[in-house]
Amino acid sequence: MNISNTQSLQKVLSAWNKKDLKTALVPTMGGLHAGHLSLIKIAKKYSDRVIVSIFVNPAQFALNEDFSTYPRVLDNDLILLKKEKVDLVFTPEVNDIYPDEIKKNINIGELDRILCSKTRPHFFTGVLQAVTRLFEIISPNYAIFGQKDYQQLKIIEKYSNNVKIISAPIIREKDNLAMSTRNLYLTHKERQIAPKLYQIIYKLSEGKIDKNQAIQLLEKYFRIDYLEILDADNLKKISYNSGRIIILVAVFLGKNRLIDNIILGDEKCLLLLKKLKLT
Ligand code: AMP
């Protein structure tokens, strides 16, 4: 069932509510791939009813970014979602998500001063406004977000109020490139280079190379935006107390920007902490 109208949506939601059915929301911008579908599978485990929203959020694109050309393939998305037996697809209009004007100066705090925020300062205020509004309209019990967008996940966890946030691992192509709707933009040559990103951070995660060597290798193929090794729980500098650490990377490849990350727990984390002389 595809609903664009918030009043019709409320009718369905209140019927489910009366039956005390638990709901899980998977927010997306469409252009669905197996990564998105994996979130739906997780959503089903937690809830009785799964809602997928498809909304290309203007507030998370800067003027020089790809808002007008972002893949909008609703018919195909709806076929995929039908196959997954999703209970409801919500495709709101801009007015539903932004009944008032889009705000530009929300203070998200420290988490919005690092990593992607440095090159895309508009991005998380845009994401947070749309997600908060979706939560307000739908009031799901759960919402599922991918670890692919790790900084986004951490920001949403912080501002999710009553919605329980569930995180989902990164789904990759056969050659380990993290799936992304924007991978469609890669030229044939760029698509062949792109998997180097994961290969290099994987070597770093295994302790086979150090951060400087990883930077040198990345520079052979990409223009680096950042490569950081941080505490996975709070995205702060790693310390003696860090239980899990995360390697986060963003690079430019031609006109494209690729992000990826690897989370290390337990033994691997200890190994890397040792290498970084933090144990
Ligand atoms: P998007 O449509 O790109 O805004 O993504 C919607 C949701 O899917 C976000 O929670 C993303 O983190 C998640 N997602 C995107 N790519 C992947 C992937 N390769 N594996 C797992 N989740 C993903």
Side-chain angles (χ1 to χ4, degrees):
M1 172 172 32
N2 175 20
I3 295 185
S4 321
N5 177 293
T6 47
Q7 277 158 358
S8 317
L9 176 75
Q10 292 310 332
K11 276 191 197 152
V12 177
L13 294 176
S14 74
W16 289 351
N17 210 8
K18 276 188 197 135
K19 293 188 196 157
D20 209 18
L21 297 172
K22 296 271 172 282
T23 54
L25 171 67
V26 180
T28 81
M29 297 209 299
L32 302 180
H33 51 66
H36 297 112
L37 303 186
S38 76
L39 308 195
I40 295 168
K41 291 191 176 83
I42 293 174
K44 281 188 184 164
K45 289 198 183 133
Y46 281 86
S47 66
D48 307 302
R49 294 289 183 270
V50 174
I51 304 155
V52 172
S53 62
I54 298 182
F55 178 64
V56 184
N57 175 21
Q60 66 190 68
F61 292 78
L63 283 178
N64 61 342
E65 292 180 354
D66 55 341
F67 177 67
S68 59
T69 52
Y70 194 83
R72 287 164 174 85
V73 285
L74 185 61
D75 290 349
N76 191 51
D77 288 346
L78 291 177
I79 292 170
L80 291 175
L81 296 175
K82 199 169 175 191
K83 271 195 201 145
E84 293 297 320
K85 298 194 171 61
V86 164
D87 299 286
L88 191 112
V89 185
F90 181 46
T91 48
E93 300 293 332
V94 173
N95 286 345
D96 298 315
I97 301 299
Y98 298 103
D100 307 315
E101 87 284 12
I102 295 175
K103 297 190 186 78
K104 296 246 152 62
N105 52 358
I106 300 171
N107 184 2
I108 297 178
E110 194 50 40
L111 278 174
D112 196 20
R113 284 194 270 279
I114 56 173
L115 303 169
C116 292
S117 303
K118 291 188 181 165
T119 25
R120 305 185 76 200
H122 58 283
F123 182 71
F124 293 112
T125 47
V127 171
L128 200 56
Q129 282 178 85
V131 170
T132 312
R133 178 71 181 138
L134 286 169
F135 286 0
E136 196 176 275
I137 300 173
I138 298 171
S139 299
N141 300 96
Y142 299 93
I144 326 296
F145 289 87
Q147 288 167 3
K148 157 102 195 313
D149 302 279
Y150 199 79
Q151 188 178 5
Q152 165 177 292
L153 170 68
K154 285 287 135 185
I155 289 174
I156 289 167
E157 277 175 354
K158 195 167 167 197
Y159 291 96
S160 61
N161 295 323
N162 297 326
V163 181
K164 178 105 184 61
I165 305 299
I166 310 294
S167 71
I170 301 177
I171 303 298
R172 300 178 177 281
E173 303 285 355
K174 283 202 183 95
D175 59 9
N176 281 326
L177 174 65
M179 287 191 181
S180 163
T181 305
R182 287 188 170 107
N183 288 349
L184 287 173
Y185 298 157
L186 297 170
T187 62
H188 178 69
K189 200 170 162 211
E190 288 166 346
R191 179 64 189 79
Q192 286 176 322
I193 295 171
K196 296 277 178 205
L197 185 61
Y198 178 77
Q199 286 168 19
I200 295 168
I201 61 168
Y202 182 73
K203 275 191 191 157
L204 177 58
S205 76
E206 292 280 291
K208 295 206 167 92
I209 53 173
D210 64 19
K211 190 176 167 187
N212 285 333
Q213 289 168 315
I215 289 172
Q216 278 172 17
L217 281 176
L218 285 169
E219 278 171 344
K220 281 192 184 172
Y221 305 101
F222 309 103
R223 183 160 68 80
I224 302 176
D225 184 358
Y226 60 75
L227 173 67
E228 299 275 2
I229 305 174
L230 298 173
D231 186 310
D233 293 322
N234 51 27
L235 290 182
K236 291 193 173 150
K237 268 178 124 175
I238 38 184
S239 72
Y240 297 102
N241 298 326
S242 299
R244 293 182 319 147
I245 57 182
I246 181 164
I247 299 171
L248 302 124
V249 68
V251 296
F252 295 95
L253 176 58
K255 288 184 186 151
N256 311 282
R257 186 169 176 278
L258 306 176
I259 60 171
D260 203 347
N261 66 70
I262 298 180
I263 301 172
L264 309 175
D266 310 332
E267 278 166 36
K268 274 196 178 176
C269 174
L270 268 177
L271 186 82
L272 200 61
L273 285 171
K274 261 190 201 144
K275 289 232 166 202
L276 297 165
K277 305 206 178 4
L278 274 170
T279 55

